[in-house]
Structures are given as structure tokens and as C-alpha cells.
Amino acid sequence: VVVYGSSCAGKSSLTKAVTKALGDPWVSIDIDDVVAREKERAIVAAEDIDKMANQLFCFEVQQAHARGQKVVADQSMFWMCLLAITQF
């Protein structure tokens, strides 16, 4: 499930609510959460994490897929991630 909308439209809140309503095996993946988590880990410089945001997001989607989870996301990059997953 992919939620589209403009900045500050409530996409993240909606994806979390949908994930909660659907329950397991659905997970919410938000690019802002992915970037914030990587910055907290501080393994890579913050400015590099911002440049790698889409790749980090796709990695999260791929990991969820590998665990058999279904994804609710608010990022248009999600479709590119799905193409990458189905190419394997």
C-alpha cells in the first residue's frame, strides 16, 4: 500500500494508522523514520545519509519483504523498490 500526498498532509500518520488496523504481517516504513534511525546510529555522516535516503528506504522494504511482511509506505520510491525486489 502506498500513500501519496503533499508535504505535511498526514501521510505518515495515515500509514501508521492503516498498519495498526491491518495488523501483522503489515509494517509501516516511513523514509523520515529510516533516515532518523540511521542518523542516530551515527555510523555514516548525516549528510551522506540524506544522500542515501532512497537506498536506505529500499533496503528497509527489501528486508520487510524477506521477512514475509507486507508494507504500507508514504514514499513514491516504494515502486522502484518493488521492481528491484521482483527482479531477483
Side-chain angles (χ1 to χ4, degrees):
V1 176
V2 180
V3 178
Y4 288 96
S6 61
S7 180
C8 299
K11 297 180 303 293
S12 295
S13 297
L14 180 61
T15 59
K16 288 175 175 84
V18 168
T19 301
K20 185 176 180 180
L22 292 172
D24 193 42
W26 290 87
V27 294
S28 173
I29 299 178
D30 182 301
I31 195 164
D32 294 330
D33 293 343
V34 171
V35 168
R37 186 172 53 250
E38 289 301 317
K39 286 181 178 179
E40 285 178 14
R41 292 177 57 201
I43 295 172
V44 178
E47 58 272 5
D48 292 334
I49 292 172
D50 289 333
K51 292 176 188 173
M52 299 178 349
N54 287 335
Q55 293 156 327
L56 292 167
F57 177 82
C58 282
F59 180 74
E60 291 282 328
V61 171
Q62 290 170 339
Q63 292 300 305
H65 177 74
R67 291 188 300 267
Q69 296 172 310
K70 298 181 180 185
V71 176
V72 180
D74 69 349
Q75 165 59 286
S76 60
M77 187 66 187
F78 180 74
W79 297 113
M80 295 302 290
C81 298
L82 282 182
L83 286 174
I85 290 169
T86 59
Q87 301 278 325
F88 295 113

